Amino acid sequence: MFSLVWTGLYQLSKAGKLCVPAMNVNDSVTKQKFDNLYCCRESILDGLKRTTDVMFGGKQVVVCGYGEVGKGCCAALKALGAIVYVTEIDPICALQACMDGFRVVKLNEVIRQVDVIITCTGNKNVVTRDQLDRMKNGSIVCNMGHSNTEIDVASLRTPELTWERVRSQVDHVIWPDGKRVILLAEGRLLNLSCSTVPTFVLSITATTQALALIELYNAPEGRYKQDVYLLPKKMDEYVASLHLATFDAHLTELSDEQAKYLGLNKNGPFKPNYYRYRSTNPILILFMNKKIIFFLR
C-alpha cells in the first residue's frame, strides 16, 4: 500500500492493473489549495527572478492551464503588473479565468507577441516546436506543471539550433537567424529547480502524505481495495488544524444546537465530500422564469 501523487494511478486502476490500494494525495484539499495554489503563487516569481532577473511590469505572459497552480501563477503575475493571458481546455476553468479578469485565448493567437510562457497543465506537448519557432527574440519558456513533457524540449535538440548555457538552469536556444529563446530548467518544474519552496507549505503537504500512509497502513483488512482513494475529509481538516497555531488562529466552536441544526458532528468533518473549496465566495444569481435563485458556494 502506498501514497503517490500521480494521475496515472487512475489509469492503472481502470485497466485493473493496480496491485495495491493507493491514496491520491495531490487532489486532497490540503495539497491542492495550499501547495498548488499558495506555494506556486510565490515560487513562480522567485524562480523567474532568480534565473532571468526579468521585470514583470507590462510583460505579456501566457499561463497555460487555470487549475490551482495556474491560478496561483496568474495572481502573482497580475499583482506585479504583467498582462496575463490564459489558455484552457476546460470551460469551467476558462470561465473562472474570465471572471478573475484574464483573457482566455488559444496559444497560437498570441504566440508571436508574448514575452513569457508558463505551462501548468500536467499534459504533454502544450508548447510545440512550431510555436517555439514563432516566438519572438528573448522570450522565456518555463514549466510549472507536474512533468517535463509540457514543453517539447526534445524537438529543440537538433543540429540547426545551438544551446548556450548562460547560468545554472538557464539555457539560450539560438535559432539560425540569431533569435534566442530562454528555456528554464530544460522544461522541468521551475519551482523545484530554480526557486526555494516555503517550508510552511512543505509541512502541510508532508503532513498530508504522512497521514495518507498511516491511514493505509493501519486500515483494517478490506477497508481499501485495489483502487485509488482520496484522503478522508476529517484528515484534511486535521492537517489544517495542526498549522493554525502558526498564525495564532482560534477556531470558533459550534454549540450543540448549531451542530444539530447543521447536521454535523461538533468535531467535524465540517464539509461533505462533494464540497469544493474556493479562493473567493461569490454569489451566483440566475434569472429563470422571473425567479431569482441564489447559489451559495
Side-chain angles (χ1 to χ4, degrees):
M1 295 186 286
F2 56 99
S3 171
L4 283 176
V5 183
W6 189 250
T7 55
L9 287 174
Y10 286 103
Q11 296 172 343
L12 289 173
S13 177
K14 187 176 181 180
K17 297 180 179 180
L18 191 62
C19 301
V20 293
M23 197 74 77
N24 175 8
V25 173
N26 192 58
D27 287 329
S28 65
V29 175
T30 43
K31 172 64 168 64
Q32 273 204 346
K33 301 300 176 181
F34 298 93
D35 194 332
N36 293 16
L37 176 63
Y38 297 115
C39 181
C40 292
R41 189 172 68 183
E42 299 194 19
S43 60
I44 181 62
L45 301 180
D46 185 26
L48 286 169
K49 285 288 188 182
R50 285 173 186 263
T51 53
T52 67
D53 299 315
V54 64
M55 183 173 182
F56 293 102
K59 290 292 190 298
Q60 297 191 57
V61 182
V62 174
V63 176
C64 300
Y66 201 67
E68 300 303 325
V69 173
K71 287 179 175 68
C73 292
C74 286
L77 293 160
K78 182 179 181 180
L80 289 189
I83 301 166
V84 183
Y85 304 97
V86 171
T87 70
E88 250 301 338
I89 62 169
D90 186 328
I92 296 175
C93 292
L95 184 58
Q96 285 182 312
C98 291
M99 297 296 288
D100 286 338
F102 302 108
R103 185 181 167 198
V104 178
V105 300
K106 293 182 177 180
L107 185 55
N108 284 332
E109 295 172 357
V110 295
I111 192 66
R112 295 185 183 276
Q113 69 195 56
V114 295
D115 301 290
V116 184
I117 294 179
I118 303 166
T119 57
C120 310
T121 70
N123 205 343
K124 63 181 295 186
N125 296 335
V126 178
V127 181
T128 64
R129 171 61 189 271
D130 175 65
Q131 291 164 331
L132 291 162
D133 285 340
R134 288 183 284 148
M135 294 185 72
K136 66 183 183 182
N137 182 51
S139 300
I140 301 169
V141 185
C142 64
N143 171 42
M144 287 284 288
H146 276 307
S147 61
N148 60 356
T149 59
E150 304 209 23
I151 303 165
D152 188 7
V153 176
S155 69
L156 298 176
R157 299 189 184 280
T158 55
E160 73 271 15
L161 300 182
T162 303
W163 284 59
E164 180 182 330
R165 175 59 58 94
V166 295
R167 66 170 74 168
S168 177
Q169 306 292 352
V170 182
D171 290 290
H172 285 189
V173 183
I174 308 170
W175 269 250
D177 64 357
K179 182 187 84 170
R180 293 172 180 250
V181 169
I182 303 169
L183 177 65
L184 303 183
E186 298 183 39
R188 299 185 299 274
L189 276 72
L190 178 75
N191 56 334
L192 298 184
S193 303
C194 306
S195 72
T196 59
V197 178
T199 55
F200 180 74
V201 168
L202 284 180
S203 174
I204 297 174
T205 299
T207 304
T208 305
Q209 292 170 337
L211 284 177
L213 287 168
I214 292 169
E215 169 66 16
L216 287 173
Y217 184 79
N218 290 334
E221 190 73 26
R223 174 182 291 178
Y224 296 109
K225 303 184 185 302
Q226 295 174 2
D227 203 351
V228 184
Y229 298 87
L230 290 174
L231 196 71
K233 181 75 69 175
K234 181 67 176 176
M235 291 190 182
D236 265 322
E237 293 178 353
Y238 179 62
V239 172
S241 67
L242 291 175
H243 292 81
L244 288 176
T246 302
F247 304 99
D248 193 27
H250 305 142
L251 286 174
T252 300
E253 296 180 4
L254 290 173
S255 67
D256 292 337
E257 183 181 3
Q258 289 173 324
K260 182 178 179 180
Y261 178 77
L262 293 174
L264 298 175
N265 185 308
K266 289 179 64 175
N267 299 316
F270 299 98
K271 298 290 188 296
N273 287 331
Y274 58 78
Y275 184 83
R276 296 291 181 265
Y277 295 81
R278 295 286 183 255
S279 301
T280 55
N281 225 4
I283 298 177
L284 302 180
I285 305 177
L286 296 183
F287 293 88
M288 300 175 62
N289 298 325
K290 299 182 180 180
K291 294 180 181 179
I292 301 178
I293 303 176
F294 293 83
F295 292 92
L296 297 177
R297 296 192 301 184

